[in-house]
PDB file of all heavy atoms in Angstrom:
ATOM      1  N   LEU W  21     166.343 319.534   8.441  1.00 92.00           N
ATOM      2  CA  LEU W  21     166.098 320.925   8.823  1.00 92.00           C
ATOM      3  C   LEU W  21     165.517 321.785   7.705  1.00 92.00           C
ATOM      4  O   LEU W  21     165.085 322.907   7.961  1.00 92.00           O
ATOM      5  CB  LEU W  21     167.408 321.565   9.322  1.00 92.00           C
ATOM      6  CG  LEU W  21     168.011 320.936  10.581  1.00 92.00           C
ATOM      7  CD1 LEU W  21     169.356 321.580  10.894  1.00 92.00           C
ATOM      8  CD2 LEU W  21     167.070 321.041  11.760  1.00 92.00           C
ATOM      9  N   LYS W  22     165.478 321.282   6.478  1.00 93.00           N
ATOM     10  CA  LYS W  22     164.980 322.126   5.389  1.00 93.00           C
ATOM     11  C   LYS W  22     163.452 322.238   5.425  1.00 93.00           C
ATOM     12  O   LYS W  22     162.761 321.390   5.988  1.00 93.00           O
ATOM     13  CB  LYS W  22     165.465 321.621   4.038  1.00 93.00           C
ATOM     14  CG  LYS W  22     164.759 320.417   3.510  1.00 93.00           C
ATOM     15  CD  LYS W  22     165.294 320.039   2.142  1.00 93.00           C
ATOM     16  CE  LYS W  22     164.515 318.844   1.614  1.00 93.00           C
ATOM     17  NZ  LYS W  22     165.054 318.343   0.388  1.00 93.00           N
ATOM     18  N   GLU W  23     162.978 323.298   4.814  1.00 92.00           N
ATOM     19  CA  GLU W  23     161.547 323.557   4.771  1.00 92.00           C
ATOM     20  C   GLU W  23     160.834 322.478   3.961  1.00 92.00           C
ATOM     21  O   GLU W  23     161.332 322.051   2.921  1.00 92.00           O
ATOM     22  CB  GLU W  23     161.312 324.932   4.128  1.00 92.00           C
ATOM     23  CG  GLU W  23     159.862 325.348   4.099  1.00 92.00           C
ATOM     24  CD  GLU W  23     159.694 326.744   3.518  1.00 92.00           C
ATOM     25  OE1 GLU W  23     159.571 326.847   2.286  1.00 92.00           O
ATOM     26  OE2 GLU W  23     159.718 327.701   4.300  1.00 92.00           O
ATOM     27  N   SER W  24     159.678 322.038   4.449  1.00 91.00           N
ATOM     28  CA  SER W  24     158.872 321.047   3.724  1.00 91.00           C
ATOM     29  C   SER W  24     157.446 321.563   3.577  1.00 91.00           C
ATOM     30  O   SER W  24     156.966 322.351   4.383  1.00 91.00           O
ATOM     31  CB  SER W  24     158.903 319.696   4.448  1.00 91.00           C
ATOM     32  OG  SER W  24     158.358 319.825   5.741  1.00 91.00           O
ATOM     33  N   GLU W  25     156.796 321.101   2.542  1.00 91.00           N
ATOM     34  CA  GLU W  25     155.402 321.490   2.259  1.00 91.00           C
ATOM     35  C   GLU W  25     154.451 320.567   3.009  1.00 91.00           C
ATOM     36  O   GLU W  25     154.721 319.389   3.176  1.00 91.00           O
ATOM     37  CB  GLU W  25     155.121 321.368   0.758  1.00 91.00           C
ATOM     38  CG  GLU W  25     156.022 322.209  -0.126  1.00 91.00           C
ATOM     39  CD  GLU W  25     155.753 323.695   0.000  1.00 91.00           C
ATOM     40  OE1 GLU W  25     154.576 324.084   0.102  1.00 91.00           O
ATOM     41  OE2 GLU W  25     156.741 324.450   0.018  1.00 91.00           O
ATOM     42  N   LEU W  26     153.325 321.122   3.476  1.00 86.00           N
ATOM     43  CA  LEU W  26     152.295 320.279   4.059  1.00 86.00           C
ATOM     44  C   LEU W  26     150.914 320.815   3.775  1.00 86.00           C
ATOM     45  O   LEU W  26     150.733 321.989   3.499  1.00 86.00           O
ATOM     46  CB  LEU W  26     152.452 320.080   5.566  1.00 86.00           C
ATOM     47  CG  LEU W  26     153.044 321.071   6.477  1.00 86.00           C
ATOM     48  CD1 LEU W  26     152.104 321.534   7.557  1.00 86.00           C
ATOM     49  CD2 LEU W  26     154.089 320.220   7.203  1.00 86.00           C
ATOM     50  N   ASP W  27     149.978 319.887   3.821  1.00 85.00           N
ATOM     51  CA  ASP W  27     148.577 320.262   3.671  1.00 85.00           C
ATOM     52  C   ASP W  27     148.050 320.593   5.057  1.00 85.00           C
ATOM     53  O   ASP W  27     147.937 319.723   5.918  1.00 85.00           O
ATOM     54  CB  ASP W  27     147.761 319.113   3.068  1.00 85.00           C
ATOM     55  CG  ASP W  27     148.116 318.844   1.630  1.00 85.00           C
ATOM     56  OD1 ASP W  27     148.483 319.806   0.934  1.00 85.00           O
ATOM     57  OD2 ASP W  27     148.039 317.679   1.205  1.00 85.00           O
ATOM     58  N   PHE W  28     147.752 321.871   5.261  1.00 81.00           N
ATOM     59  CA  PHE W  28     147.266 322.338   6.554  1.00 81.00           C
ATOM     60  C   PHE W  28     146.303 323.478   6.290  1.00 81.00           C
ATOM     61  O   PHE W  28     146.643 324.439   5.603  1.00 81.00           O
ATOM     62  CB  PHE W  28     148.448 322.807   7.419  1.00 81.00           C
ATOM     63  CG  PHE W  28     148.027 323.357   8.748  1.00 81.00           C
ATOM     64  CD1 PHE W  28     147.652 322.509   9.774  1.00 81.00           C
ATOM     65  CD2 PHE W  28     148.009 324.730   8.973  1.00 81.00           C
ATOM     66  CE1 PHE W  28     147.254 323.018  11.006  1.00 81.00           C
ATOM     67  CE2 PHE W  28     147.621 325.239  10.202  1.00 81.00           C
ATOM     68  CZ  PHE W  28     147.240 324.376  11.221  1.00 81.00           C
ATOM     69  N   ARG W  29     145.120 323.380   6.797  1.00 82.00           N
ATOM     70  CA  ARG W  29     144.102 324.401   6.552  1.00 82.00           C
ATOM     71  C   ARG W  29     144.296 325.557   7.520  1.00 82.00           C
ATOM     72  O   ARG W  29     144.155 325.425   8.734  1.00 82.00           O
ATOM     73  CB  ARG W  29     142.708 323.824   6.694  1.00 82.00           C
ATOM     74  CG  ARG W  29     141.627 324.831   6.335  1.00 82.00           C
ATOM     75  CD  ARG W  29     140.366 324.106   5.915  1.00 82.00           C
ATOM     76  NE  ARG W  29     139.352 325.031   5.473  1.00 82.00           N
ATOM     77  CZ  ARG W  29     139.234 325.465   4.230  1.00 82.00           C
ATOM     78  NH1 ARG W  29     140.067 325.053   3.319  1.00 82.00           N
ATOM     79  NH2 ARG W  29     138.274 326.302   3.901  1.00 82.00           N
ATOM     80  N   CYS W  30     144.618 326.708   6.951  1.00 89.00           N
ATOM     81  CA  CYS W  30     144.817 327.931   7.729  1.00 89.00           C
ATOM     82  C   CYS W  30     143.462 328.614   7.949  1.00 89.00           C
ATOM     83  O   CYS W  30     142.501 328.378   7.212  1.00 89.00           O
ATOM     84  CB  CYS W  30     145.766 328.859   6.960  1.00 89.00           C
ATOM     85  SG  CYS W  30     146.077 330.437   7.788  1.00 89.00           S
ATOM     86  N   ASP W  31     143.396 329.493   8.943  1.00 88.00           N
ATOM     87  CA  ASP W  31     142.176 330.260   9.200  1.00 88.00           C
ATOM     88  C   ASP W  31     141.774 331.115   8.005  1.00 88.00           C
ATOM     89  O   ASP W  31     140.605 331.463   7.847  1.00 88.00           O
ATOM     90  CB  ASP W  31     142.355 331.148  10.439  1.00 88.00           C
ATOM     91  CG  ASP W  31     142.441 330.336  11.717  1.00 88.00           C
ATOM     92  OD1 ASP W  31     141.978 329.167  11.721  1.00 88.00           O
ATOM     93  OD2 ASP W  31     142.978 330.853  12.716  1.00 88.00           O
ATOM     94  N   CYS W  32     142.751 331.457   7.129  1.00 91.00           N
ATOM     95  CA  CYS W  32     142.433 332.277   5.959  1.00 91.00           C
ATOM     96  C   CYS W  32     141.767 331.452   4.861  1.00 91.00           C
ATOM     97  O   CYS W  32     141.326 332.001   3.854  1.00 91.00           O
ATOM     98  CB  CYS W  32     143.690 332.961   5.414  1.00 91.00           C
ATOM     99  SG  CYS W  32     144.809 331.875   4.504  1.00 91.00           S
ATOM    100  N   GLY W  33     141.704 330.117   5.035  1.00 88.00           N
ATOM    101  CA  GLY W  33     141.054 329.243   4.058  1.00 88.00           C
ATOM    102  C   GLY W  33     142.029 328.521   3.148  1.00 88.00           C
ATOM    103  O   GLY W  33     141.642 327.593   2.434  1.00 88.00           O
ATOM    104  N   ALA W  34     143.280 328.923   3.131  1.00 90.00           N
ATOM    105  CA  ALA W  34     144.281 328.272   2.275  1.00 90.00           C
ATOM    106  C   ALA W  34     144.642 326.897   2.842  1.00 90.00           C
ATOM    107  O   ALA W  34     144.539 326.654   4.045  1.00 90.00           O
ATOM    108  CB  ALA W  34     145.516 329.139   2.168  1.00 90.00           C
ATOM    109  N   ASN W  35     145.067 326.001   1.960  1.00 88.00           N
ATOM    110  CA  ASN W  35     145.432 324.640   2.359  1.00 88.00           C
ATOM    111  C   ASN W  35     146.923 324.347   2.255  1.00 88.00           C
ATOM    112  O   ASN W  35     147.352 323.240   2.527  1.00 88.00           O
ATOM    113  CB  ASN W  35     144.681 323.614   1.507  1.00 88.00           C
ATOM    114  CG  ASN W  35     143.207 323.596   1.828  1.00 88.00           C
ATOM    115  OD1 ASN W  35     142.819 323.755   2.975  1.00 88.00           O
ATOM    116  ND2 ASN W  35     142.385 323.410   0.812  1.00 88.00           N
ATOM    117  N   SER W  36     147.718 325.292   1.822  1.00 89.00           N
ATOM    118  CA  SER W  36     149.143 325.057   1.599  1.00 89.00           C
ATOM    119  C   SER W  36     149.978 325.789   2.641  1.00 89.00           C
ATOM    120  O   SER W  36     149.880 327.005   2.795  1.00 89.00           O
ATOM    121  CB  SER W  36     149.528 325.519   0.192  1.00 89.00           C
ATOM    122  OG  SER W  36     150.888 325.284  -0.039  1.00 89.00           O
ATOM    123  N   SER W  37     150.787 325.039   3.352  1.00 93.00           N
ATOM    124  CA  SER W  37     151.652 325.600   4.379  1.00 93.00           C
ATOM    125  C   SER W  37     153.032 324.983   4.266  1.00 93.00           C
ATOM    126  O   SER W  37     153.243 324.010   3.547  1.00 93.00           O
ATOM    127  CB  SER W  37     151.097 325.318   5.773  1.00 93.00           C
ATOM    128  OG  SER W  37     149.832 325.917   5.941  1.00 93.00           O
ATOM    129  N   SER W  38     153.956 325.524   5.013  1.00 93.00           N
ATOM    130  CA  SER W  38     155.291 324.938   5.095  1.00 93.00           C
ATOM    131  C   SER W  38     155.636 324.701   6.559  1.00 93.00           C
ATOM    132  O   SER W  38     155.050 325.310   7.458  1.00 93.00           O
ATOM    133  CB  SER W  38     156.327 325.846   4.436  1.00 93.00           C
ATOM    134  OG  SER W  38     156.453 327.047   5.168  1.00 93.00           O
ATOM    135  N   GLN W  39     156.578 323.817   6.758  1.00 93.00           N
ATOM    136  CA  GLN W  39     157.046 323.504   8.100  1.00 93.00           C
ATOM    137  C   GLN W  39     158.561 323.479   8.057  1.00 93.00           C
ATOM    138  O   GLN W  39     159.152 322.965   7.109  1.00 93.00           O
ATOM    139  CB  GLN W  39     156.514 322.142   8.524  1.00 93.00           C
ATOM    140  CG  GLN W  39     157.093 321.632   9.825  1.00 93.00           C
ATOM    141  CD  GLN W  39     156.546 320.260  10.172  1.00 93.00           C
ATOM    142  OE1 GLN W  39     155.348 320.037  10.133  1.00 93.00           O
ATOM    143  NE2 GLN W  39     157.432 319.336  10.497  1.00 93.00           N
ATOM    144  N   GLN W  40     159.191 324.036   9.088  1.00 93.00           N
ATOM    145  CA  GLN W  40     160.644 324.002   9.156  1.00 93.00           C
ATOM    146  C   GLN W  40     161.075 323.876  10.606  1.00 93.00           C
ATOM    147  O   GLN W  40     160.544 324.531  11.489  1.00 93.00           O
ATOM    148  CB  GLN W  40     161.261 325.251   8.535  1.00 93.00           C
ATOM    149  CG  GLN W  40     162.766 325.182   8.467  1.00 93.00           C
ATOM    150  CD  GLN W  40     163.348 326.225   7.542  1.00 93.00           C
ATOM    151  OE1 GLN W  40     162.702 327.219   7.200  1.00 93.00           O
ATOM    152  NE2 GLN W  40     164.576 325.995   7.114  1.00 93.00           N
ATOM    153  N   SER W  41     162.070 323.014  10.825  1.00 92.00           N
ATOM    154  CA  SER W  41     162.619 322.815  12.163  1.00 92.00           C
ATOM    155  C   SER W  41     164.004 323.446  12.228  1.00 92.00           C
ATOM    156  O   SER W  41     164.713 323.520  11.229  1.00 92.00           O
ATOM    157  CB  SER W  41     162.720 321.319  12.487  1.00 92.00           C
ATOM    158  OG  SER W  41     161.440 320.745  12.551  1.00 92.00           O
ATOM    159  N   ALA W  42     164.373 323.874  13.436  1.00 93.00           N
ATOM    160  CA  ALA W  42     165.691 324.474  13.658  1.00 93.00           C
ATOM    161  C   ALA W  42     166.122 324.196  15.095  1.00 93.00           C
ATOM    162  O   ALA W  42     165.289 324.101  15.995  1.00 93.00           O
ATOM    163  CB  ALA W  42     165.642 325.978  13.404  1.00 93.00           C
ATOM    164  N   PHE W  43     167.433 324.088  15.281  1.00 93.00           N
ATOM    165  CA  PHE W  43     167.969 323.959  16.633  1.00 93.00           C
ATOM    166  C   PHE W  43     167.928 325.328  17.296  1.00 93.00           C
ATOM    167  O   PHE W  43     168.410 326.305  16.735  1.00 93.00           O
ATOM    168  CB  PHE W  43     169.430 323.494  16.610  1.00 93.00           C
ATOM    169  CG  PHE W  43     169.606 322.050  16.261  1.00 93.00           C
ATOM    170  CD1 PHE W  43     169.889 321.659  14.966  1.00 93.00           C
ATOM    171  CD2 PHE W  43     169.506 321.074  17.242  1.00 93.00           C
ATOM    172  CE1 PHE W  43     170.072 320.329  14.643  1.00 93.00           C
ATOM    173  CE2 PHE W  43     169.684 319.740  16.938  1.00 93.00           C
ATOM    174  CZ  PHE W  43     169.971 319.365  15.626  1.00 93.00           C
ATOM    175  N   VAL W  44     167.355 325.412  18.468  1.00 91.00           N
ATOM    176  CA  VAL W  44     167.396 326.633  19.259  1.00 91.00           C
ATOM    177  C   VAL W  44     168.697 326.625  20.060  1.00 91.00           C
ATOM    178  O   VAL W  44     169.437 327.600  20.095  1.00 91.00           O
ATOM    179  CB  VAL W  44     166.169 326.759  20.185  1.00 91.00           C
ATOM    180  CG1 VAL W  44     166.281 327.991  21.064  1.00 91.00           C
ATOM    181  CG2 VAL W  44     164.893 326.802  19.356  1.00 91.00           C
ATOM    182  N   THR W  45     168.946 325.509  20.717  1.00 90.00           N
ATOM    183  CA  THR W  45     170.199 325.299  21.446  1.00 90.00           C
ATOM    184  C   THR W  45     170.779 323.972  20.995  1.00 90.00           C
ATOM    185  O   THR W  45     170.069 323.123  20.445  1.00 90.00           O
ATOM    186  CB  THR W  45     169.983 325.274  22.973  1.00 90.00           C
ATOM    187  OG1 THR W  45     169.083 324.206  23.282  1.00 90.00           O
ATOM    188  CG2 THR W  45     169.424 326.592  23.479  1.00 90.00           C
ATOM    189  N   LEU W  46     172.064 323.794  21.245  1.00 92.00           N
ATOM    190  CA  LEU W  46     172.722 322.546  20.858  1.00 92.00           C
ATOM    191  C   LEU W  46     172.994 321.691  22.092  1.00 92.00           C
ATOM    192  O   LEU W  46     173.474 322.197  23.110  1.00 92.00           O
ATOM    193  CB  LEU W  46     174.038 322.847  20.141  1.00 92.00           C
ATOM    194  CG  LEU W  46     173.880 323.547  18.789  1.00 92.00           C
ATOM    195  CD1 LEU W  46     175.241 323.917  18.225  1.00 92.00           C
ATOM    196  CD2 LEU W  46     173.114 322.662  17.809  1.00 92.00           C
ATOM    197  N   PRO W  47     172.694 320.400  22.013  1.00 92.00           N
ATOM    198  CA  PRO W  47     172.910 319.523  23.166  1.00 92.00           C
ATOM    199  C   PRO W  47     174.383 319.151  23.325  1.00 92.00           C
ATOM    200  O   PRO W  47     175.169 319.248  22.383  1.00 92.00           O
ATOM    201  CB  PRO W  47     172.079 318.285  22.805  1.00 92.00           C
ATOM    202  CG  PRO W  47     172.108 318.252  21.315  1.00 92.00           C
ATOM    203  CD  PRO W  47     172.089 319.704  20.882  1.00 92.00           C
TER     204      PRO W  47
END
């Protein structure tokens, strides 16, 4: 669930992004 770095080209031209997952509901 922790934030991770990824290479992703944004519309602003930057190549550095982060990704994070979270539970919305619990099964």
Side-chain angles (χ1 to χ4, degrees):
L21 297 175
K22 76 178 182 186
E23 183 177 88
S24 61
E25 301 290 321
L26 30 120
D27 291 329
F28 178 77
R29 185 156 184 88
C30 179
D31 291 339
C32 75
N35 290 323
S36 181
S37 298
S38 66
Q39 172 181 311
Q40 186 165 19
S41 295
F43 286 96
V44 176
T45 60
L46 294 175

